[in-house]
Amino acid sequence: MGNVENRLLELGITLEAVPPAVANYVPAKQVGNLVYTSGNDCRIGGVLMRTGKVGSDLTVEEGYAVARQVAINLLSVLKEHLGELDRVKQVVKMLAFVNSAPGFVHQPFVVNGASDLFVEVFGEKGRHARSAISSNELPFDTPVEIELIVEVE
């Protein structure tokens, strides 16, 4: 077991199998030493942990927890694609969408749920550029969808 997976154990995080794609796409695509993930949501055991809009149906704190779960699901995708999470050299870029109620403007605080997890797991290699975008709707009414770009060894 690698260092990253030992760290996941310390944090009490278990990675699930990646569910099949719901449309015509792949969960991850590698180009050279960069891996691009498709957008992921907050499913646990195939079921969304929450649905709805942050700012009306969910608080910022609940949105943060959802974003953290999305990050865990992204780690599952990377593990399946790479075989070993220790191959991640650095997290490069995160693009996050927050299903937002009208007037809700605290997307960065929601998305910190994912950003904080990547730093907890990878240390400095987990620090990344990112965008936290408001969306008026997301697929399946998920509160947060995130895609990721990582550099690998």
Side-chain angles (χ1 to χ4, degrees):
M1 185 174 303
N3 293 332
V4 173
E5 295 186 42
N6 282 331
R7 180 67 181 136
L8 291 174
L9 284 175
E10 290 172 9
L11 295 170
I13 295 171
T14 303
L15 300 181
E16 293 186 3
V18 177
V22 297
N24 190 13
Y25 65 89
V26 294
K29 183 81 167 182
Q30 187 166 343
V31 178
N33 64 344
L34 295 176
V35 176
Y36 298 78
T37 71
S38 293
N40 276 249
D41 59 27
C42 62
R43 291 175 198 270
I44 301 173
V47 177
L48 291 171
M49 70 181 280
R50 294 293 303 262
T51 58
K53 296 185 182 305
V54 182
S56 60
D57 305 314
L58 290 85
T59 65
V60 170
E61 295 77 16
E62 291 167 329
Y64 179 101
V66 164
R68 182 177 176 90
Q69 181 60 45
V70 176
I72 291 168
N73 293 345
L74 285 162
L75 290 175
S76 294
V77 168
L78 291 171
K79 168 76 172 152
E80 179 178 278
H81 181 78
L82 298 170
E84 178 58 54
L85 288 172
D86 282 341
R87 291 188 54 208
V88 173
K89 186 173 181 180
Q90 65 177 326
V91 179
V92 177
K93 170 75 178 180
M94 176 194 307
L95 176 59
F97 299 92
V98 178
N99 190 356
S100 300
F104 181 76
V105 295
H106 299 290
Q107 292 79 12
F109 302 111
V110 171
V111 176
N112 277 345
S115 294
D116 291 349
L117 179 76
F118 290 130
V119 173
E120 286 177 55
V121 170
F122 294 109
E124 283 301 308
K125 298 187 313 183
R127 294 201 179 279
H128 51 274
R130 80 169 196 201
S131 298
I133 308 295
S134 174
S135 177
N136 65 331
E137 300 291 339
L138 285 173
F140 311 108
D141 202 26
T142 186
V144 177
E145 180 175 340
I146 300 174
E147 61 182 55
L148 200 61
I149 302 170
V150 299
E151 181 183 17
V152 297
E153 312 246 17

